[in-house]
Amino acid sequence: MFDIAPSLAVEGDDRTPLLPVRHPNQDLFICDVLDAIPKDDMASMEHPVFSLSTKPDNRMRRYEHNGNIIEIIPSGKGLATIHDKDILIYCISQLVAKMNHGEQPGRTLRLQAYDMLVATNRQTSGAGYRLLTDALTRLRGTTSNARKLVMP
């Protein structure tokens, strides 16, 4: 199917498939993001909660399995995207860091936007802050309803 192995670079092509490291010094970050990644998250792979689209996805999703129903309802700006998930993971890592320091996390999580942008390797320009605002709106607005199907 391929003339060359996909992992090999094409001669003269110095591009990399990875995003550039925009912030090499991440001293401000308390907890390693990799410590907070939900492991064995097969359920969200089988029934995607996050959109893979880069454009607003306003479709409601409904999944049924063994009499259980879950509905994923997007916000006005669309369903939370897979790119928004790293912000969620960052927030989880901050809560884990608090618990590791013996603190009880509260219902409100206060963060510095700049620290979040740096830790998630996002732009710290005005556009980066606007994209962060949109991502937080999608995350806040995406809701789920889970219930058991009742048979008459």
Side-chain angles (χ1 to χ4, degrees):
M1 183 170 172
F2 293 105
D3 292 336
I4 61 170
S7 61
L8 299 176
V10 176
E11 189 175 323
D13 186 4
D14 58 352
R15 295 179 298 166
T16 176
L18 301 176
L19 290 173
V21 177
R22 293 186 180 99
H23 313 285
N25 295 335
Q26 294 191 14
D27 296 338
L28 300 174
F29 195 50
I30 300 169
C31 180
D32 189 357
V33 174
L34 297 176
D35 290 342
I37 293 176
K39 295 175 178 58
D40 298 326
D41 191 13
M42 295 301 288
S44 73
M45 293 170 75
E46 183 179 353
H47 304 297
V49 175
F50 297 95
S51 172
L52 297 177
S53 177
T54 55
K55 296 180 178 163
D57 185 350
N58 292 311
R59 295 175 296 151
M60 189 177 99
R61 289 161 166 73
R62 178 184 165 104
Y63 304 108
E64 292 184 30
H65 182 71
N66 292 339
N68 297 307
I69 300 173
I70 186 165
E71 295 174 329
I72 311 296
I73 304 158
S75 72
K77 290 207 179 251
L79 192 66
T81 69
I82 197 69
H83 302 289
D84 301 339
K85 188 175 182 180
D86 61 347
I87 294 171
L88 188 60
I89 292 170
Y90 176 84
C91 293
I92 293 168
S93 72
Q94 297 302 300
L95 295 172
V96 169
K98 282 184 177 246
M99 290 187 295
N100 287 344
H101 285 98
E103 297 178 41
Q104 181 67 28
R107 293 178 51 102
T108 303
L109 180 63
R110 298 196 187 280
L111 304 166
Q112 295 295 319
Y114 178 82
D115 295 346
M116 184 185 303
L117 292 171
V118 169
T120 56
N121 198 30
R122 294 171 182 251
Q123 300 173 19
T124 55
S125 62
Y129 283 92
R130 281 190 296 281
L131 291 170
L132 176 62
T133 300
D134 289 346
L136 291 171
T137 300
R138 284 189 299 272
L139 285 166
R140 181 185 64 223
T142 300
T143 59
S144 64
N145 294 324
R147 63 182 185 275
K148 190 98 168 140
L149 185 62
V150 179
M151 296 292 198

